[in-house]
Amino acid sequence: MAALLLGTLLLIVQPHIVPSRPAVISKVEATSQSVEKELLKKTILKNDFKRNIHFNGSCQQLPQTIIIGVRKGGTRALLEMLSLHPDIAVAESEVHFFDWEDHYGSGFQWYMNQMPFSYPHQITVEKTPAYFTSPKVPERVYNMNQSIRLLLILRDPSERVLSDYTQVFYNHVQKHKPYPSIEEFLIKDGELNVDYKAINRSLYYFHMQNWLKYFPLDRIHIVDGDKLIKDPFPEIEKVERFLRLSPQINASNFYFNKTKGFYCLRDSGRERCLHESKGRAHPHVDSHLLDKLHEYFHEPNRKFFELVGRTFDWH
């Protein structure tokens, strides 16, 4: 159900600073991790960064992992689920460093200052969904750290369009401002309005090509957003393996809240669930119009499947 995927903004985010038991990794993986850390150190030295160090030994670091998108794909859910792991420290807000010119112009020192305090063994993660569809971002991220690990969470393109509209619609409602119906955005001169920004954001094939100019596919892990909502644990297990984390997140960390209609998290006996702004029902859309939307995405989806070497259960 589409509303389930929207319902994932959790109320509480707290960075973990308690060291976990070390992961069991191979010599090859250990060497790779060492190389990644050295490359990140070179970036820090090159830019003459001033580290903010806490008395407990933690400090702010440039992210080693970024959730790059996609907007309304489940990025907040993914970030909150990852925060269950003691070796993960998450930036609570969307930083928009690489896609906003004023932020990017402030430099990497400013970027580092937006990060949470973390211990050396922890992975710092930030998420800004707009990165995936911003043309300048892949090269900028590459110039910071070519060995960074990227997370991309995607969902059915048509459903993502509806979620995109729903978010903007409710933002206007809260401000007591009128907003056109979704049909007015989707249809122009009797045809599907392919210039609608929400449709463009769902053209995953187009945007993925830009990222693959700078990063090999093995540096970008694609999370199935539809599966993450229906059964989150298997998807999070895959993310743990991609990030080379010890398997600390368990199935018991997730429970289905029948009242809310989606999964919530259980962490050390403390339950945290979703913000009321999420999980909103999509507007009713005529089935004929939905068919047009599905038909439009059919070929781009096929090309995307070929590009990444896997398929997804989309219309």
Side-chain angles (χ1 to χ4, degrees):
M1 187 174 177
L4 296 182
L5 192 53
L6 278 171
T8 51
L9 181 57
L10 308 170
L11 292 174
I12 302 171
V13 184
Q14 294 182 346
H16 300 277
I17 58 175
V18 179
S20 67
R21 62 179 183 269
V24 178
I25 58 177
S26 68
K27 290 183 179 180
V28 174
E29 289 175 329
T31 301
S32 177
Q33 289 180 0
S34 178
V35 170
E36 290 171 18
K37 288 182 178 180
E38 285 302 316
L39 287 171
L40 199 54
K41 283 181 181 179
K42 288 181 180 179
T43 299
I44 293 172
L45 291 173
K46 179 182 177 182
N47 290 272
D48 193 26
F49 293 152
K50 179 183 178 182
R51 283 182 180 273
N52 296 319
I53 301 176
H54 196 269
F55 68 87
N56 64 5
S58 62
C59 65
Q60 289 172 302
Q61 307 180 74
L62 287 174
Q64 298 98 324
T65 296
I66 300 177
I67 299 175
I68 58 175
V70 62
R71 170 175 159 138
K72 307 313 299 175
T75 58
R76 175 55 64 176
L78 177 59
L79 188 74
E80 300 294 353
M81 291 175 185
L82 272 179
S83 74
L84 291 168
H85 200 290
D87 288 352
I88 291 289
V90 302
E92 297 185 27
S93 302
E94 294 178 6
V95 183
H96 286 281
F97 176 66
F98 295 102
D99 63 323
W100 288 3
E101 295 302 321
D102 55 338
H103 285 181
Y104 190 68
S106 298
F108 288 114
Q109 179 70 64
W110 180 90
Y111 187 39
M112 181 185 288
N113 291 344
Q114 312 311 307
M115 296 301 115
F117 280 84
S118 62
Y119 286 126
H121 75 278
Q122 290 183 303
I123 295 175
T124 297
V125 181
E126 82 111 329
K127 74 104 176 172
T128 300
Y131 287 165
F132 181 59
T133 57
S134 301
K136 294 181 180 179
V137 171
E139 183 178 9
R140 290 176 172 181
V141 174
Y142 179 85
N143 289 337
M144 179 190 74
N145 181 4
Q146 65 188 43
S147 67
I148 197 168
R149 292 179 182 272
L150 305 170
L151 293 171
L152 172 64
I153 180 168
L154 301 176
R155 63 186 297 196
D156 185 305
S158 299
E159 293 297 317
R160 201 218 62 79
V161 169
L162 302 183
S163 294
D164 202 317
Y165 169 85
T166 301
Q167 174 175 282
V168 180
F169 171 78
Y170 276 102
N171 287 343
H172 279 71
V173 169
Q174 290 173 349
K175 297 174 182 177
H176 305 288
K177 294 181 178 180
Y179 197 65
S181 68
I182 190 169
E183 286 80 9
E184 292 179 66
F185 285 101
L186 290 177
I187 295 296
K188 183 177 181 181
D189 299 326
E191 299 294 331
L192 191 68
N193 180 17
V194 297
D195 293 325
Y196 179 31
K197 288 183 179 180
I199 290 180
N200 178 270
R201 294 186 188 109
S202 284
L203 292 174
Y204 304 147
Y205 171 72
F206 172 77
H207 301 297
M208 191 66 172
Q209 284 182 303
N210 195 26
W211 283 90
L212 291 178
K213 291 176 185 177
Y214 298 93
F215 296 96
L217 194 56
D218 62 8
R219 285 282 163 181
I220 308 174
H221 177 70
I222 303 173
V223 179
D224 189 325
D226 297 306
K227 289 184 178 179
L228 184 75
I229 292 306
K230 296 175 183 176
D231 189 11
F233 180 54
E235 286 299 309
I236 289 298
E237 278 189 306
K238 295 173 186 176
V239 175
E240 279 185 317
R241 288 194 292 270
F242 173 71
L243 297 180
R244 296 174 178 174
L245 293 165
S246 57
Q248 300 268 359
I249 302 174
N250 303 303
S252 60
N253 289 123
F254 306 94
Y255 71 96
F256 189 79
N257 187 307
K258 292 182 180 180
T259 302
K260 294 181 177 291
F262 43 70
Y263 277 91
C264 296
L265 305 184
R266 185 182 290 114
D267 185 14
S268 301
R270 178 171 56 89
E271 295 181 354
R272 44 190 173 122
C273 224
L274 315 176
H275 194 276
E276 61 182 8
S277 66
K278 298 296 181 176
R280 290 165 171 159
H282 290 172
H284 172 74
V285 181
D286 180 78
S287 59
H288 178 67
L289 182 53
L290 278 178
D291 287 341
K292 280 191 172 184
L293 203 57
H294 298 156
E295 182 181 354
Y296 175 75
F297 284 122
H298 178 76
E299 184 60 17
N301 287 349
R302 185 190 65 78
K303 290 182 177 180
F304 178 76
F305 297 160
E306 290 183 355
L307 186 67
V308 300
R310 59 184 286 199
T311 60
F312 295 83
D313 188 18
W314 300 335
H315 288 98

